[in-house]
Amino acid sequence: MWGYRGLAVVMVVCVYIAIRAFKKNNTQKVIKALAVVPVYLVGLFVVLIGYNILFVKPSELDKQKEYINTNIKFTKTAYDVNIDEKQIVNTGTITEREADINQDVITNIPIITEDIAKNNLLQTQTSTGYYTYNKAKASLYNGNLTYISARELSSTHVTDEYTHGYGTVITSATETDEAGNVKYISRDFDNQDIKEPRIYYGVENKGTIVTKNGKGEFDYPKTIVENATYTYEGRGGISLGFLDRICVALREGKLDMAFASNQSRIMPNRNIIKRAKKIMPYLLYDKDPYLVISDDGELYWVIDAYTISNEYPYSQKTKIVYENETREINYIRNSVKVLINAFDGNTKFYITDKTDPVAMVYKNMYSTLFEEEIPEKFAGKFTYPEFLYNIQSEILNMYHAVSADVLYRGNDVWEIASYSNLITKTASSKTKPYYTMVKTVDEEESKLGLVISYNQQGKESLNAYLVGVAEGGQNKLSLYKFSGDSTVMGPMQLDNLIEQDETISKEISALNVTGTKITKEMIIVPIDNTFLYVVPIYQTSLNETKSVPVLKKVVVASGNKIAIGDNLKGAIKNLLSPTSSVSVEVVDDSTIDGLLESIIKANNNLTESNDSNNWEQIGRDIEALQALVRQLETARENEKNNTVTIQNGNTLGGNSTVNGQNVMVNNVY
């Protein structure tokens, strides 16, 4: 720092001397004066290297600790992850009593994913060719977890007669029909809960239209051969005189607009994201807006808007992909929600985070644009934005409840848990966050939230999970960490258990017939101090033109028990039955070689602390080393107890057992 300050002074002095010498035609002195600057920079570089070797390296952590603490503090603030880590103790297998108490959570576990619901709509609900469905969004409808999809008019069919979409399609996230197909709760055109079902503004809506054009508008199909008609009666769009209509017609390339009547209403800017950008171009808008039904029966689009920056001091940088462009940021807040009426396009911007200085500056600049109080009719309609949650969950890999010395040494790095969504062995990928009802140990009521789980780097067993819920427009994150002596099954471990159990694997293999593909998902649901693992298994026909995944089986697990059923209710019933469930033993996946590597690293850390005479750090390093040695002792004992003799060197089919129990040794049965 002082070197750079000195550089500023040296540059000013050298330039001054060079100018004076230039006026006197003393070229040699000009060159010497200007040469001082690069010589100074080289000298500064040498001093920095020397200082680093002589003074920083021998006790680097002590020298950097202040700056690392600042980095931790500002990073957590910048990404809005300044949350406490709540320590919990895993209570193991869910009991029948716990299942009864938490029926509102269990009956709302999603066994149908958003992608499956959307693809099913596109395959089965677009036969007329008029409509399309861009999103199936998780939402609570009459207390049940569902997906709400806007029935939008396909942009390829927009004409003077075809102007708008109509209502919503609601599908169940938790139930299927008897054949395993997606179950529809509402797909007709009656839309009894919606006062005004017509969608003139949306994601799909492109191009300018003219309503009240004297031709009548297609409303919805009443029968195969008969259509209902409608004349627009809202406040959307603008009424224009003849000359103005000519200007619009020339801009849009549609000359018939000029000959519309004076009572006609012209609607430009009907794409809701482009509409929001035109009004307020300085925000980042979520690419996945969703439709909600307000308490008074109106349809509104919700767009989560973000303030971002790459200049927040001391914060860790990360990269995001937005509109096919990679950006580097070190600050993001979901401080604004945009609500757009699907019928008339009325657009409102609401500030939801007054602690965001960027959003508050915009509010002060545009005082008439932003509002603070979201109307009560939208209470409980919002969900935690997945775009923000993905960024925050990645940041928490490093920046959870971590101290400067732990971050510096990389001793407690987390990873988002991985799994494979195919039945056969294949490369694993990170789990994606999913919406489900959650009931955590510190909450009395279940809530709809996003969930993702973590394991420590290099391990498969879980050590923490993150829950994101939206409360009254405010985003709330909660991080839960299992105690160090808890061994909590991870997704890859559960995959191995499912594959190795003879009964369960046989039922799944029976589905894998020629001409089909078997896929699965994994949902890990927190219920108080334990997890309930749900693995829906789907069969897709490869020989059909319009093929959609069909739910065939559901595997559930908790603690040391696994069961399978034809649906979620049957699988839960089997899990709670001592005769229908399979008992397993999940062993700590810390391998002896891995523990030895950790012990060597911990010993090196202790040596470094001794060399710098950092007594506080020496104490922590000794505790860490002792904990690793205890883990090594436990791993050695498990290895002795769980050794299974395999005759003739062949792998046993089905389960390996010790004392009648299924046993996993080093992740292999």
Side-chain angles (χ1 to χ4, degrees):
M1 181 68 71
W2 282 105
Y4 287 134
R5 289 170 179 167
L7 175 63
V9 175
V10 169
M11 289 175 66
V12 172
V13 172
C14 289
V15 169
Y16 173 75
I17 294 173
I19 291 173
R20 290 193 61 184
F22 180 77
K23 289 179 178 179
K24 295 178 181 180
N25 293 322
N26 190 341
T27 305
Q28 187 176 10
K29 192 172 183 179
V30 170
I31 295 173
K32 288 181 178 178
L34 296 179
V36 170
V37 176
V39 171
Y40 179 92
L41 285 171
V42 171
L44 178 60
F45 178 75
V46 172
V47 170
L48 288 174
I49 295 296
Y51 183 85
N52 196 53
I53 293 173
L54 296 175
F55 297 99
V56 177
K57 283 295 182 183
S59 56
E60 186 171 23
L61 177 57
D62 287 339
K63 296 292 193 300
Q64 302 286 8
K65 197 168 187 178
E66 176 187 350
Y67 308 108
I68 297 173
N69 280 326
T70 302
N71 169 252
I72 293 171
K73 177 183 176 182
F74 279 72
T75 297
K76 287 186 172 184
T77 301
Y79 293 95
D80 201 18
V81 293
N82 197 11
I83 53 179
D84 292 329
E85 221 173 74
K86 300 172 184 178
Q87 298 289 327
I88 57 177
V89 178
N90 181 35
T91 54
T93 305
I94 190 170
T95 64
E96 190 168 353
R97 180 178 178 275
E98 288 173 327
D100 290 338
I101 294 174
N102 296 285
Q103 275 298 303
D104 56 335
V105 176
I106 293 174
T107 56
N108 277 304
I109 294 174
I111 56 174
I112 298 296
T113 67
E114 290 184 359
D115 288 340
I116 290 177
K118 176 184 172 182
N119 290 337
N120 198 284
L121 286 170
L122 293 174
Q123 295 287 0
T124 63
Q125 296 296 308
T126 55
S127 57
T128 59
Y130 302 131
Y131 301 112
T132 189
Y133 304 88
N134 282 288
K135 181 73 175 174
K137 181 67 176 180
S139 180
L140 290 179
Y141 181 78
N142 293 333
N144 298 314
L145 183 59
T146 61
Y147 297 121
I148 295 180
S149 305
R151 187 190 282 114
E152 293 194 74
L153 183 70
S154 173
S155 59
T156 58
H157 288 86
V158 174
T159 64
D160 289 344
E161 290 82 17
Y162 294 89
T163 57
H164 59 274
Y166 197 97
T168 63
V169 175
I170 302 176
T171 55
S172 174
T174 61
E175 292 182 281
T176 62
D177 63 17
E178 292 182 359
N181 295 304
V182 170
K183 183 177 180 180
Y184 291 96
I185 296 175
S186 172
R187 59 177 171 179
D188 297 327
F189 288 89
D190 52 10
N191 289 281
Q192 297 177 358
D193 296 336
I194 304 174
K195 181 172 66 177
E196 180 48 74
R198 296 166 183 90
I199 301 175
Y200 282 86
Y201 296 81
V203 178
E204 183 70 16
N205 295 346
K206 299 172 184 176
T208 301
I209 62 170
V210 180
T211 60
K212 291 188 176 181
N213 51 31
K215 300 178 182 179
E217 301 173 45
F218 166 81
D219 204 23
Y220 61 90
K222 296 174 70 175
T223 65
I224 296 177
V225 295
E226 183 184 4
N227 295 326
T229 58
Y230 175 73
T231 300
Y232 186 72
E233 298 176 354
R235 298 174 299 169
I238 48 178
S239 286
L240 298 175
F242 179 67
L243 292 178
D244 290 327
R245 292 200 302 274
I246 291 177
C247 294
V248 173
L250 292 173
R251 190 192 72 172
E252 297 293 329
K254 298 179 180 179
L255 293 179
D256 56 332
M257 287 185 179
F259 301 102
S261 68
N262 290 332
Q263 288 73 38
S264 298
R265 299 190 71 83
I266 296 176
M267 291 185 180
N269 302 317
R270 296 192 306 127
N271 180 280
I272 55 173
I273 295 180
K274 291 181 179 179
R275 185 178 184 84
K277 284 182 178 178
K278 278 186 176 291
I279 297 172
M280 183 62 188
Y282 309 116
L283 298 172
L284 189 79
Y285 295 94
D286 200 305
K287 65 182 180 65
D288 289 321
Y290 55 95
L291 198 68
V292 298
I293 306 171
S294 66
D295 288 345
D296 59 357
E298 293 186 298
L299 294 178
Y300 281 85
W301 290 99
V302 179
I303 309 177
D304 288 293
Y306 308 95
T307 56
I308 62 170
S309 175
N310 192 31
E311 304 295 337
Y312 196 77
Y314 311 114
S315 174
Q316 184 68 31
K317 295 183 184 295
T318 190
K319 291 182 179 179
I320 62 172
V321 177
Y322 183 76
E323 294 182 341
N324 298 320
E325 178 186 346
T326 300
R327 303 187 185 187
E328 190 175 62
I329 64 169
N330 70 349
Y331 180 92
I332 184 168
R333 291 290 187 91
N334 174 217
S335 305
V336 179
K337 289 195 183 294
V338 186
L339 296 178
I340 301 177
N341 189 297
F343 181 62
D344 61 24
N346 185 32
T347 304
K348 298 280 189 180
F349 289 75
Y350 293 94
I351 296 284
T352 58
D353 184 0
K354 297 179 184 178
T355 66
D356 177 10
V358 182
M360 296 311 291
V361 166
Y362 289 147
K363 182 181 182 302
N364 292 334
M365 291 170 64
Y366 307 103
S367 57
T368 59
L369 177 62
F370 292 98
E371 301 182 28
E372 294 186 9
E373 297 297 327
I374 298 178
E376 187 64 27
K377 65 182 180 180
F378 297 108
K381 305 297 182 182
F382 302 119
T383 56
Y384 203 102
E386 193 171 344
F387 178 77
L388 175 66
Y389 186 87
N390 280 323
I391 297 171
Q392 292 174 321
S393 61
E394 289 286 351
I395 289 296
L396 284 168
N397 282 336
M398 292 287 292
Y399 292 90
H400 40 271
V402 65
S403 59
D405 57 284
V406 173
L407 184 65
Y408 171 77
R409 289 168 169 171
N411 288 345
D412 189 22
V413 179
W414 295 359
E415 293 176 328
I416 294 173
S418 297
Y419 84 116
S420 170
N421 66 349
L422 296 175
I423 295 300
T424 56
K425 286 287 186 181
T426 185
S428 60
S429 58
K430 291 180 181 178
T431 55
K432 295 179 180 179
Y434 44 86
Y435 291 99
T436 185
M437 296 298 289
V438 292
K439 173 75 179 302
T440 53
V441 66
D442 56 338
E443 294 286 348
E444 294 183 359
E445 297 181 358
S446 59
K447 297 178 181 178
L448 176 61
L450 276 171
V451 180
I452 210 163
S453 49
Y454 296 93
N455 52 261
Q456 279 197 319
Q457 196 174 60
K459 289 189 175 185
E460 291 183 352
S461 56
L462 301 181
N463 71 317
Y465 65 92
L466 179 69
V467 176
V469 298
E471 297 180 347
Q474 300 284 331
N475 295 327
K476 179 184 176 184
L477 274 181
S478 300
L479 184 62
Y480 301 87
K481 187 175 185 300
F482 291 106
S483 60
D485 57 350
S486 298
T487 301
V488 184
M489 179 168 51
M492 295 301 293
Q493 291 174 311
L494 180 55
D495 277 349
N496 288 330
L497 294 173
I498 292 172
E499 183 178 345
Q500 295 299 326
D501 183 80
E502 186 175 2
T503 304
I504 294 176
S505 62
K506 185 180 293 185
E507 288 198 44
I508 297 173
S509 297
L511 303 173
N512 196 14
V513 297
T514 304
T516 63
K517 181 176 73 171
I518 307 300
T519 57
K520 62 182 175 63
E521 293 292 337
M522 185 173 294
I523 299 100
I524 304 176
V525 183
I527 299 179
D528 291 332
N529 271 353
T530 190
F531 275 153
L532 182 63
Y533 303 74
V534 178
V535 185
I537 298 170
Y538 314 99
Q539 184 187 64
T540 306
S541 175
L542 302 178
N543 300 323
E544 297 178 9
T545 305
K546 292 186 176 182
S547 180
V548 293
V550 176
L551 183 74
K552 289 296 183 181
K553 295 288 181 181
V554 178
V555 176
V556 294
S558 180
N560 64 347
K561 286 188 176 183
I562 303 178
I564 189 170
D566 294 330
N567 50 45
L568 179 59
K569 185 177 180 180
I572 294 290
K573 182 180 178 181
N574 291 338
L575 180 72
L576 298 175
S577 168
T579 58
S580 302
S581 60
V582 178
S583 296
V584 297
E585 183 178 346
V586 182
V587 180
D588 187 358
D589 61 349
S590 300
T591 64
I592 291 178
D593 286 343
L595 285 170
L596 288 174
E597 288 291 332
S598 299
I599 288 171
I600 292 170
K601 184 178 179 180
N603 187 61
N604 291 336
N605 290 340
L606 179 58
T607 301
E608 181 183 320
S609 301
N610 278 324
D611 292 342
S612 61
N613 292 321
N614 186 337
W615 296 105
E616 181 183 357
Q617 189 60 45
I618 288 171
R620 286 199 292 265
D621 287 341
I622 290 174
E623 289 180 2
L625 185 58
Q626 289 175 334
L628 287 168
V629 171
R630 287 194 295 268
Q631 288 184 46
L632 179 62
E633 290 175 347
T634 303
R636 288 289 300 274
E637 192 65 28
N638 286 335
E639 185 181 60
K640 293 176 183 178
N641 293 338
N642 295 332
T643 299
V644 179
T645 303
I646 302 177
Q647 296 179 353
N648 300 324
N650 294 324
T651 303
L652 293 175
N655 299 336
S656 299
T657 59
V658 174
N659 298 328
Q661 297 293 317
N662 298 289
V663 177
M664 183 174 67
V665 183
N666 293 332
N667 300 327
V668 180
Y669 271 93

